């Protein structure tokens, strides 16, 4: 690989071939914008771009291209098209653009419930409206606060039973800054501001109650504002790779050890992992594991039912954009010193390309753990110890959606596993209150008193992943292995019981809904047409690594209707190119017509066919004092682990033990 590709430790997309699943380049975004603006429906001044992304080629075409390219390196790319969601004259357009032909393929108007993602520009413009609105200025004055110390931010309004689609709105939440940048710790309670986004005007206003604004002392999280002692002082560490990085970058393709995959970016989903395959030393060729994987939705409902809080039931991917909120990663902090970085691009409200520097990072990790070990004392006079170091490749992104930062890790292991990790950190969104001590609280205040006049409200985080698994091919099945206790009653043994495994292959989507923790067992995706030499079906296990919370809201509650899929952590559906978003394509002010649970009501067959697994990492968050003002990481996730996939364990053929350095795995797999 050219050294230029690692210049300044950045994965600049200037080397290597183009792939059918590459995200749109800045020049392609500009072409798409120009084509739409020059068309007859783009002449309106109100035109705004809310989503511009790749219109993915059909899956068989991508797989055929991949196979042909691997053989000839000259396989022609499928046509490049873009899918655009735009607003003009109060209407939502779905537009397909032929990029090479510089032409509009189709333009349709969406007339159902729900609106597209918010844009940064309209959020900023709506946040400025209260400062020139006399009733709001009067409310600030009444509280004896300085208007220049107030900061406002827009929040989605949700859906609460409206039968007709009304205005496209946001509610404006305001805070006091003063001598802290942690404005979330100082809410201006009791005030409700509703903005019509299309008219860009305040259409509702209420000042219901005056509540003390929490104090700023001790809330500023910047290191420069801390006084000792502030946390333990640690010594910095270093990662040493004498032979250089062990992974290769070819355009958006990443190759490391026995793995090869495509790394992309989407303004709604963020990180997108595609066509991931693992090389089997027994077979000698790559074997397919995952066709497409990404964050599909992030549902965050708060548990306070008061007028100023009941609507705070956010769908952060569909309403705000998980990729749109990607934060530039800090070298040696977000990612270690051996990381390489990738920029990302999206279309702004005006259609012009916008760059997110260091949106993704890729690095090899060796944490000093063993992936396998054994010490044998059984031989007289001998002690035999064998240890395999756990070395992995990590792809990381951080999405800073409002007050929370979500760290998403895709970790590839030489064992053939893919471990997906979710870590939640950032700043609590708190509620102002009259209370100054917990003994004063008599009823349900929907949270924990964290400081004077400050309540951390109970809430959930549900991160749902879309996983189009192709285990050794597209035709797969979903198997639930249940553990069953069997009583021994025939006197054939001194034992009175044992447990065994009962395997059930899901025939329909309804059969594949799973509540994790309800009963012991394993979940597998298998290829019913592929067997090992021992006769076992090849497959991958789905293993939880914590954070298995499911929604506790009642089924008829409006936010639960919109996120009805959050009652089960696992769903399996028949593959459909259009079914990507767990809460629907148009999530803002949606009513749940087009969510994952709605699709799964059909009795579609999922046995021995192309299936998609949906997995939700869930946290119930009960704030405590240690979460304020800085919230430590909440972490969980899951793993896709081979199950009878390899004839031999790939760990057996790794390098022998060496010094405590991060090895260059691709040089000696």
């Amino acid at each position: 690989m050219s050294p230029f590709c690692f210049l300044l430790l950045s994965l600049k997309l200037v080397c290597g071939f183009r792939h059918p699943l590459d995200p749109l380049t800045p020049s392609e975004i500009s072409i798409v914008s120009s084509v739409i603006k020059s068309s007859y429906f783009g002449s309106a001044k109100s035109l705004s771009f809310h989503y511009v992304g790749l219109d993915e080629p059909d899956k068989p075409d991508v797989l055929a291209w991949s196979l042909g390219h691997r053989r000839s390196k000259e396989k022609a790319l499928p046509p490049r098209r873009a899918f655009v969601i735009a607003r003009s004259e109060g209407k939502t357009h779905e537009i397909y653009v032929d990029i090479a032909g510089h032409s509009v393929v189709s333009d349709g108007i969406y007339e159902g419930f729900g609106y597209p993602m918010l844009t940064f520009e309209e959020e900023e413009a709506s946040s400025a409206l209260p400062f020139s609105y006399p009733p709001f200025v009067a409310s600030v004055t009444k509280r004896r606060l300085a208007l220049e110390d107030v900061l406002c931010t827009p929040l989605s309004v949700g859906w609460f039973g409206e039968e007709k689609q009304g205005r496209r709105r946001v509610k404006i939440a305001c805070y006091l800054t003063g001598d802290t940048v942690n404005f979330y710790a100082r809410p201006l309670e009791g005030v409700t501001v509703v903005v019509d986004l299309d008219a860009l005007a305040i259409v509702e206003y209420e000042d219901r109650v005056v509540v003390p604004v929490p104090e700023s002392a001790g809330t500023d999280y910047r290191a420069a504002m801390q006084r000792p002692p502030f946390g333990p002082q640690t010594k910095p560490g270093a990662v040493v790779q004498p032979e250089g990085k062990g992974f290769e970058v070819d355009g958006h393709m990443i190759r490391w050890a026995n793995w090869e995959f495509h790394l992309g970016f989407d303004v709604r989903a963020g990180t997108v992992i595609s066509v991931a395959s693992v090389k089997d030393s027994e077979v000698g060729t790559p074997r397919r594991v995952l066709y497409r994987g990404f964050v599909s939705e992030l549902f965050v409902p708060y548990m306070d039912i008061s007028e100023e809080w009941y609507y705070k039931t956010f769908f952060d991917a569909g309403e705000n954009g998980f990729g749109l909120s990607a934060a530039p990663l800090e070298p040696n902090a977000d990612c270690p010193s051996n990381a390489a970085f990738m920029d990302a691009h999206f279309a702004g409200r005006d259609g012009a390309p916008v760059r997110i520097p260091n949106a993704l990072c890729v690095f090899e990790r060796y944490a000093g753990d063993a992936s396998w070990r054994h010490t044998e004392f059984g031989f007289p006079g001998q002690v035999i110890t064998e240890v395999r170091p756990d070395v992995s490749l990590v792809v990381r992104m951080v999405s800073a959606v409002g007050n929370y930062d979500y760290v998403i890790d895709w970790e590839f292991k030489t064992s053939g596993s893919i471990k997906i990790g979710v870590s939640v950190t950032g700043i609590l969104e708190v509620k102002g209150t009259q209370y100054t001590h917990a003994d004063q609280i008599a009823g349900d205040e929907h949270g924990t008193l964290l400081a004077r006049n400050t309540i951390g409200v109970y809430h959930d985080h549900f991160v749902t992943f879309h996983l189009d698994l192709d285990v050794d091919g597209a035709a797969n099945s979903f198997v639930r292995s249940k553990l069953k206790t069997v009583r021994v009653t025939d006197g054939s043994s001194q034992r009175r019981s044992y447990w065994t495994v009962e395997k059930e292959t899901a025939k329909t989507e309804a059969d594949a809904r799973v509540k994790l923790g309800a009963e012991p067992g394993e979940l597998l995706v298998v290829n019913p047409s592929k067997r090992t030499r021992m006769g076992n079906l090849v497959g991958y296990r789905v293993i939880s690594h914590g954070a298995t919370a499911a929604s506790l809201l009642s089924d008829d509650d409006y936010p639960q209707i919109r996120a009805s899929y959050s009652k089960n952590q696992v769903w399996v559906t028949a593959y459909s190119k259009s079914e990507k978003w767990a809460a629907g394509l148009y999530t803002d002010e949606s009513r749940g017509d087009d969510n994952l649970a709605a699709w799964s009501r059909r009795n579609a067959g999922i046995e021995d066919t192309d299936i998609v697994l949906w997995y939700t990492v869930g946290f119930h968050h009960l704030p405590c004092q240690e979460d304020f003002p800085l919230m430590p990481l909440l972490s969980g996730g899951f793993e896709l682990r081979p199950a009878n996939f390899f004839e031999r364990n790939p760990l057996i053929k790794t390098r022998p033990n060496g010094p405590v350095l991060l090895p260059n795995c691709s040089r000696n797999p």
Side-chain angles (χ1 to χ4, degrees):
M1 183 184 62
S2 167
F4 180 69
C5 296
F6 279 121
L7 181 62
L8 299 179
L9 291 180
S10 179
L11 304 181
K12 303 301 181 183
L13 305 182
V14 295
C15 54
F17 59 86
R18 288 246 322 262
H19 190 281
L21 297 177
D22 282 357
L24 299 183
T25 65
S27 61
E28 288 178 321
I29 293 172
S30 296
I31 291 171
V32 170
S33 171
S34 176
V35 167
I36 291 176
K37 287 179 178 178
S38 64
S39 66
Y40 69 93
F41 54 79
S43 60
K45 293 182 180 179
S46 64
L47 177 67
S48 61
F49 292 84
H50 294 259
Y51 178 86
V52 178
L54 176 70
D55 176 33
E56 298 169 28
D58 290 338
K59 184 174 177 179
D61 294 340
V62 174
L63 295 174
W65 178 90
S66 297
L67 180 61
H69 183 83
R70 182 175 286 117
R71 290 174 175 172
S72 69
K73 298 290 183 182
E74 296 179 357
K75 182 73 174 177
L77 286 160
R80 291 278 282 181
R81 301 203 321 178
F83 174 60
V84 178
I85 298 176
R87 294 273 296 172
S88 181
E89 304 298 330
K91 295 181 179 179
T92 299
H93 291 257
E94 297 179 346
I95 307 166
Y96 290 88
V97 175
D98 179 345
I99 296 175
H102 289 225
S103 61
V104 172
V105 177
S106 66
D107 169 36
I109 295 178
Y110 173 73
E111 297 179 341
F113 251 74
Y115 294 111
M117 292 189 310
L118 305 175
T119 68
F120 280 151
E121 294 86 348
E122 64 188 357
E123 288 182 297
E124 183 178 353
S126 62
S127 297
L129 293 176
F131 297 95
S132 58
Y133 189 66
F136 179 78
V137 175
S139 294
V140 173
T141 302
K142 180 174 67 175
R143 289 166 172 78
R144 298 181 179 180
L145 304 174
L147 192 62
E148 59 268 24
D149 288 340
V150 175
L151 184 148
C152 295
T153 184
L155 302 174
S156 57
V157 301
W159 171 77
F160 292 90
E162 297 87 349
E163 295 184 359
K164 294 183 178 180
Q165 191 83 79
R167 301 174 186 264
R168 182 167 169 260
R169 305 160 298 159
V170 290
K171 289 188 177 182
I172 306 297
C174 296
Y175 309 85
L176 197 66
T177 56
D179 57 355
T180 180
V181 297
N182 187 359
F183 61 87
Y184 289 107
R186 309 192 71 201
L188 190 65
E189 292 289 349
V191 174
T192 301
V193 185
V194 182
V195 170
D196 182 325
L197 285 173
D198 290 328
L200 203 60
I202 294 175
V203 293
E204 295 178 39
Y205 184 81
E206 182 181 12
D207 186 349
R208 189 177 65 87
V209 62
V210 176
V211 177
V213 176
E215 301 168 355
S216 63
T219 63
D220 200 314
Y221 49 79
R222 293 173 295 178
M225 302 300 293
Q226 308 305 317
R227 293 181 175 85
F230 178 71
Q233 298 299 313
T234 59
K235 296 181 179 180
V239 177
V240 180
Q241 293 183 276
E243 299 179 43
K245 290 179 174 59
F247 57 94
E248 176 189 359
V249 181
D250 187 359
H252 280 271
M253 291 300 298
I254 310 294
R255 298 183 182 92
W256 172 82
N258 49 354
W259 279 104
E260 177 182 274
F261 59 91
H262 183 276
L263 174 57
F265 177 86
D266 179 83
V267 70
R268 179 163 175 169
T271 306
V272 182
I273 303 293
S274 303
V275 291
S277 60
V278 63
K279 192 170 185 178
D280 188 341
S281 59
E282 291 283 318
V283 178
T285 57
R287 298 172 64 185
R288 286 158 54 189
V289 176
L290 177 70
Y291 178 72
R292 203 92 158 130
F294 52 85
V295 171
S296 177
E297 193 50 81
L298 170 55
F299 176 42
V300 186
Y302 282 80
M303 297 301 122
D304 192 302
I305 59 175
S306 64
E307 181 64 24
E308 293 79 24
W309 277 78
Y310 76 91
Y311 66 92
K312 294 183 179 181
T313 54
F314 307 124
F315 291 80
D316 284 334
E319 294 171 345
N320 299 101
F322 201 66
L324 185 65
S325 303
L329 299 172
E330 294 287 337
N332 300 314
D334 286 312
C335 310
S337 59
N338 64 316
F341 294 83
M342 178 185 285
D343 296 344
H345 299 88
F346 66 93
R349 189 176 189 270
D350 61 356
V354 179
R355 170 176 166 263
I356 306 175
N358 293 0
L360 306 172
C361 76
V362 184
F363 59 92
E364 292 161 294
R365 177 156 64 192
Y366 172 51
D369 297 325
S371 61
W372 175 87
R373 79 171 323 280
H374 177 62
T375 298
E376 180 58 65
F377 298 102
F379 292 93
Q382 296 185 59
V383 176
I384 301 173
T385 298
E386 280 291 312
V387 183
R388 303 286 186 265
D390 187 11
V391 184
S392 59
L393 185 76
V394 178
V395 176
R396 175 170 294 165
M397 190 195 87
V398 175
S399 184
V401 191
N403 56 303
Y404 275 113
D405 291 47
Y406 295 87
V407 184
I408 305 297
D409 282 354
W410 293 78
E411 183 174 4
F412 296 83
K413 296 178 174 290
T414 57
S415 62
S417 291
I418 306 175
K419 185 177 179 181
I420 296 95
V422 176
S423 297
V424 185
T425 184
I427 303 296
L428 289 176
E429 184 166 352
V430 300
K431 177 183 179 180
T433 179
Q434 300 281 356
Y435 300 118
T436 59
H437 194 278
D439 290 346
Q440 299 170 346
I441 302 175
D444 188 351
E445 287 299 315
H446 315 293
T448 305
L449 189 68
L450 305 175
R452 290 171 56 88
N453 310 119
T454 305
I455 285 182
V457 179
Y458 304 143
H459 58 282
D460 297 317
H461 303 266
F462 298 116
V463 186
T464 300
F465 288 81
H466 172 285
L467 301 162
D468 181 6
L469 285 162
D470 280 2
V471 178
D472 248 359
N476 289 175
S477 295
F478 181 68
V479 177
R480 298 177 66 176
S481 294
K482 299 181 180 180
L483 306 187
K484 176 185 177 182
T485 301
V486 179
R487 294 284 296 175
V488 179
T489 59
D490 60 3
S492 61
S493 172
Q494 295 295 315
R495 292 280 296 276
R496 296 184 177 181
S497 68
Y498 63 96
W499 63 260
T500 191
V501 178
E502 288 187 342
K503 296 184 178 182
E504 297 178 358
T505 299
K507 297 185 180 300
T508 68
E509 294 181 352
D511 296 336
R513 301 171 187 173
V514 178
K515 290 184 182 293
L516 294 177
E519 54 188 346
E522 281 194 331
L523 309 177
L524 299 98
V525 174
V526 302
N527 188 322
S529 64
K530 300 288 181 68
R531 293 178 180 267
T532 65
R533 288 193 289 266
M534 296 297 100
N536 296 308
L537 292 177
V538 303
Y540 262 73
R541 287 178 283 187
V542 183
I543 300 174
S544 168
H545 287 293
T548 58
S551 179
L552 299 176
L553 299 178
S554 62
D555 291 343
D556 62 348
D557 196 2
Y558 296 110
Q560 185 58 41
I561 292 172
R562 300 175 68 202
S564 48
Y565 59 87
S566 61
K567 290 284 184 175
N568 298 309
Q569 298 92 337
V570 177
W571 298 70
V572 179
T573 61
Y575 170 81
S576 171
K577 180 181 174 182
S578 63
E579 294 177 351
K580 298 180 183 178
W581 313 113
L585 178 59
Y586 297 99
T587 310
D588 186 32
E589 298 191 55
S590 66
R591 61 182 184 184
D593 301 345
D594 184 35
N595 70 11
L596 169 57
W599 311 330
S600 191
R601 291 191 190 107
R602 65 189 181 199
N603 206 30
I606 57 169
E607 189 175 11
D608 196 8
T609 189
D610 198 352
I611 58 177
V612 175
L613 185 138
W614 308 76
Y615 188 103
T616 295
V617 178
F619 305 87
H620 295 310
H621 192 178
L622 287 67
C624 58
Q625 285 182 225
E626 287 78 7
D627 293 341
F628 184 80
L630 307 179
M631 204 208 82
L633 288 171
L634 295 175
S635 297
F638 60 101
E639 184 174 347
L640 305 172
R641 183 182 296 175
N644 301 312
F645 187 82
F646 297 103
E647 294 290 350
R648 294 180 181 273
N649 188 330
L651 289 176
I652 293 175
K653 295 194 174 184
T654 57
R655 64 168 46 76
N657 295 336
V660 185
L661 301 173
L662 186 62
N664 188 338
C665 294
S666 67
R667 303 287 183 88
N668 184 23

